[in-house]
Amino acid sequence: MKRRLLIILPCLLLASHALLQAGTIDTVIGTGKPNNNGNKGPADTINVGQPFGVELGPGGRLYVTEVQNHRVLRLDLESGQLTTVAGTGKAGYSGDGGPATEASLNEPYEIRFDREGNMFWVEMKNHLVRRVDAKSGKISTVAGTGSAGYSGDGGPATRAQLRVPHSIALDGQGGLYIADIGNHRIRKVDLENGQIHSIAGNDKRSLPSDGQQARGNPILGPRALCFHQGTLWIALREGHSVWKLPLATGTLHHVAGDGMKGFAGDGGSARTARFNGPKGIAIGPKGLVYVVDTENQVIRRIDPARDRIDTVAGSGPDQRGGEGDKGPATRAQLDRPHGICVGPDGTIYIGDTVNHRVRRVKP
């Protein structure tokens, strides 16, 4: 009997340790309903329709892009109060030069902030990127004409055409990067002189090669971008993989995903793992990379130094739904999540899109 207990006890300890490491999930914004029921109020009473991008901004407040209701929302994490900071709630393209709250947006996807606290987001259906001045609260367009196409490299960004852009990143040195997914390119805007050019991609729709120059070579479906310590991190939607692009060299390097659609690899090599349409990416503490593996209904974490991948939220492609709050994140259900950001303490925020909620995983 003693020998059997000695065998069982370590197994129980290992299971308990794994459960503790999973993190706990809860909802921080939304009721599960998508219709617009107000511009401000307690975050657990205001509906959020299809949240996509999530980002921690000035003062540690959480910002959310709301695709269905065409707004940008701000959450004070201490008070739990939610406020609309851009958009009227109706789709359109208007308001430049005036208050952001009086402007019409059309499916804002992702949001970022520069060092001065100016707010930038990409509007997929308007094919452009807009900015709100931190001091005046006035909105302007910084890239795109409002119509889909591919034109303008070498000229003013506001006269260039984008095609269903999905993501943006800022490098802290005046560079704005756009995932111009409809054109299978990544484009850069110099915010000082307003000029735009392509830094990755061409007309060929195929996976890049490890170690190749990004400029002028293919990049298949660049869906999500984030910037960290001189490097642009890229999730390829159609390419089912993750890459990094050190801006000093302009060379693409393969990080994760074998390019084939699927769900495999946890606990092993990130490079040989499989994704299904990844649509969000963020860098957390210790340089860990977090990827929204949207069609697999999970959040995955990559340790580039160890070439290892694990699932940290969601229970897999066959468990699409909204259950699991207040329990282990890896036993919870997600429903086509898109956006992600990670706080300095390792807390993960997720735009759980079809559940019409923003959810949080505490480490």
Side-chain angles (χ1 to χ4, degrees):
M1 179 62 73
K2 283 186 178 180
R3 187 173 182 181
R4 288 185 64 192
L5 285 172
L6 287 171
I7 293 170
I8 292 168
L9 185 59
C11 293
L12 290 172
L13 289 172
L14 284 170
S16 174
H17 179 71
L19 189 63
L20 289 171
Q21 293 298 309
T24 302
I25 193 169
D26 65 356
T27 294
V28 291
I29 301 175
T31 66
K33 297 178 181 179
N35 58 298
N36 185 345
N37 70 340
N39 287 321
K40 62 181 180 179
D44 59 357
T45 67
I46 299 296
N47 298 343
V48 55
Q50 295 185 36
F52 266 52
V54 290
E55 184 77 348
L56 288 167
R61 291 171 291 190
L62 182 67
Y63 290 75
V64 183
T65 58
E66 188 188 17
V67 167
Q68 182 165 324
N69 294 318
H70 313 285
R71 301 183 297 184
V72 179
L73 310 174
R74 181 184 66 211
L75 172 65
D76 186 317
L77 289 164
E78 292 188 6
S79 69
Q81 292 295 302
L82 192 69
T83 306
T84 299
V85 294
T88 63
K90 295 182 179 180
Y93 177 35
S94 68
D96 277 1
T101 50
E102 296 177 11
S104 295
L105 321 181
N106 200 348
E107 296 202 3
Y109 264 40
E110 265 192 1
I111 188 168
R112 300 284 187 257
F113 291 87
D114 66 14
R115 290 178 175 177
E116 287 74 42
N118 300 307
M119 180 168 60
F120 296 76
W121 68 79
V122 60
E123 288 179 41
M124 190 272 283
K125 285 287 182 70
N126 278 334
H127 314 283
L128 48 76
V129 179
R130 298 172 91 176
R131 172 188 182 272
V132 175
D133 185 84
K135 294 180 179 179
S136 69
K138 292 184 177 180
I139 188 172
S140 60
T141 297
V142 296
T145 65
S147 62
Y150 176 62
S151 68
D153 275 0
T158 51
R159 296 181 186 173
Q161 288 180 302
L162 311 174
R163 190 183 301 277
V164 293
H166 278 54
S167 180
I168 53 173
L170 294 160
D171 64 13
Q173 298 180 351
L176 166 71
Y177 300 84
I178 306 169
D180 193 1
I181 193 170
N183 289 317
H184 293 275
R185 287 172 169 86
I186 297 173
R187 302 172 81 178
K188 178 184 178 181
V189 178
D190 185 324
L191 293 171
E192 299 228 351
N193 63 27
Q195 302 290 294
I196 190 171
H197 64 275
S198 297
I199 65 164
N202 59 18
D203 291 330
K204 187 178 179 181
R205 299 186 177 188
S206 62
L207 277 170
S209 298
D210 197 9
Q212 77 176 17
Q213 282 293 309
R215 190 186 299 272
N217 286 309
I219 187 164
L220 183 61
R223 170 57 177 83
L225 307 175
C226 71
F227 181 83
H228 183 69
Q229 295 182 349
T231 296
L232 195 64
W233 294 79
I234 308 159
L236 301 184
R237 186 182 67 187
E238 285 82 3
H240 309 292
S241 53
V242 175
W243 298 72
K244 66 178 181 178
L245 174 59
L247 297 179
T249 65
T251 305
L252 283 163
H253 299 278
H254 179 221
V255 176
D258 66 1
M260 302 292 289
K261 181 168 67 174
F263 180 49
D266 276 358
S269 169
R271 293 186 181 92
T272 59
R274 289 194 171 171
F275 297 91
N276 189 356
K279 296 182 176 69
I281 190 167
I283 307 297
K286 301 179 181 178
L288 298 175
V289 183
Y290 294 79
V291 180
V292 184
D293 195 357
T294 300
E295 307 306 334
N296 282 326
Q297 323 300 332
V298 297
I299 308 300
R300 303 176 86 179
R301 182 182 63 203
I302 301 163
D303 184 341
R306 298 170 60 205
D307 182 31
R308 180 187 170 98
I309 189 168
D310 295 283
T311 293
V312 293
S315 46
D318 298 326
Q319 295 295 318
R320 181 175 174 179
E323 300 297 321
D325 271 5
K326 303 190 185 303
T330 50
R331 294 184 185 175
Q333 296 174 323
L334 304 176
D335 199 341
R336 298 202 74 236
H338 282 80
I340 189 168
C341 67
V342 184
D345 63 349
T347 298
I348 307 166
Y349 298 90
I350 306 162
D352 194 1
T353 305
V354 182
N355 281 322
H356 309 297
R357 291 182 169 96
V358 175
R359 298 172 85 181
R360 170 179 60 189
V361 178
K362 294 182 178 179

